Amino acid sequence: MTSSFNVQDAAGYEQLMGRWSRKLALPFLGFAGLAEGERVLDVGCGTGSLTFALAEAVNLRQIAAIDFSPVFVAAAQARNTDPRVEISQADACALPFEDNSFDRTLALLVLHFVPEAHRAIAEMARVTRPGGVIAATVWDHYGGMPGMRMAVDTLAMLGEAGRQLRSRYCFQPMMQPGEMKAAFVAQGLSRVEESQLLLRMDYADFSDFWAPIGAGEGPIGKFVATLDQADKARAEAAARDAYEAGRPDGPRSFANIAWAVRGIVA
């Protein structure tokens, strides 16, 4: 498996998305459900947003976490002080666990970066016991992330490469209404439910919003890194104008929506 997510360093990811992943983890766990004594797997743990929320939520028996990125794995391992938590590098499409190993298998903001997302869902089901739960959540890039749409729409104005970036970004796997639910059903999961999770992304100022993108983090930042200095300056100026919207620079708040789906392993 490859991942379409671009990470330069863990600190940059934290400013770009990690802080919002932590906010999303709690409503996602409310949707996915948990029970004391369970064994839970976090697929695509990143820097540990969901992993450590699991550790604090209920008295779980075991928490396993995997990620494809060695940068993320090292950052999460460095943060971990809980003996129940085991974090390792692995492929979501070839999970290194026996069948029926977990009571719940969860994926927070992961499946839209997995080109073979259906294989990852099948693997999540394989390692979960019959009657257990698998659940996942992904952002709605097209219609539910106005701040990031503001950035990609700005870049689309630069030319054809920017327009192609916008198309890729808006139509990543599992992001369209009903798409992830249909993928769960196709893998034989039962009682599949889809919901939407809402949170606000609050920025202190334009620099707080743009700095990780300008530093090359994530898929938008990866594109920005390919621009020459003149286009980078044009992109930043246009993004700043959109962010400020005619008012002085300062705090801005954006409402964001994530799709969430859960199902029961047959």
Side-chain angles (χ1 to χ4, degrees):
M1 181 204 79
T2 57
S3 170
S4 62
F5 191 83
N6 179 66
V7 56
Q8 299 294 323
D9 79 12
Y13 169 79
E14 280 294 306
Q15 186 177 5
L16 176 71
M17 192 55 62
R19 52 182 165 170
W20 314 126
S21 299
R22 287 194 296 277
K23 287 184 69 172
L24 186 62
L26 294 181
F28 176 54
L29 288 179
F31 172 77
L34 284 176
E36 290 198 0
E38 287 187 330
R39 302 159 299 165
V40 181
L41 172 63
D42 177 6
V43 175
C45 64
T47 54
S49 296
L50 181 62
T51 306
F52 300 121
L54 284 165
E56 295 176 359
V58 296
N59 186 23
L60 298 173
R61 175 182 169 189
Q62 176 191 4
I63 303 165
I66 67 100
D67 201 277
F68 191 69
S69 165
V71 173
F72 284 157
V73 170
Q77 288 174 336
R79 289 179 58 195
N80 183 38
T81 59
D82 192 319
R84 297 171 300 163
V85 175
E86 296 182 3
I87 303 165
S88 59
Q89 185 179 5
D91 184 342
C93 293
L95 294 171
F97 304 104
E98 298 295 327
D99 295 0
N100 309 328
S101 293
F102 300 97
D103 300 292
R104 293 178 201 263
T105 299
L106 311 178
L108 176 79
L109 303 180
V110 173
L111 292 183
H112 52 313
F113 291 115
V114 180
E116 297 179 283
H118 290 79
R119 282 185 59 193
I121 295 167
E123 277 292 274
M124 291 171 68
R126 178 186 66 79
V127 302
T128 306
R129 65 169 174 80
V133 173
I134 78 167
T137 186
V138 302
W139 293 121
D140 176 4
H141 277 182
Y142 180 82
M145 293 195 81
M148 294 302 159
R149 270 303 300 268
M150 180 177 69
V152 293
D153 286 342
T154 296
L155 293 168
M157 294 189 299
L158 295 177
E160 181 58 28
R163 288 190 288 273
Q164 291 178 12
L165 165 72
R166 178 171 61 184
S167 181
R168 291 193 303 271
Y169 186 80
C170 288
F171 297 105
Q172 287 178 237
M174 303 293 119
M175 287 189 166
Q176 302 310 300
E179 183 181 3
M180 189 161 55
K181 180 178 181 180
F184 272 48
V185 171
Q187 294 302 327
L189 294 155
S190 64
R191 293 164 54 189
V192 178
E193 301 175 49
E194 179 184 74
S195 186
Q196 298 175 44
L197 307 177
L198 175 69
L199 65 80
R200 299 199 71 90
M201 294 184 179
D202 300 309
Y203 298 96
D205 53 26
F206 175 71
S207 178
D208 189 30
F209 169 77
W210 186 256
I213 297 172
E217 292 295 339
I220 304 175
K222 182 179 181 181
F223 176 82
V224 170
T226 69
L227 301 176
D228 61 30
Q229 289 302 314
D231 278 345
K232 282 182 181 177
R234 287 176 58 207
E236 181 172 347
R240 176 183 289 277
D241 187 61
Y243 177 91
E244 293 177 356
R247 295 288 182 90
D249 190 14
R252 301 290 190 273
S253 182
F254 300 90
N256 292 265
I257 294 172
W259 297 109
V261 174
R262 68 183 173 209
I264 307 297
V265 177

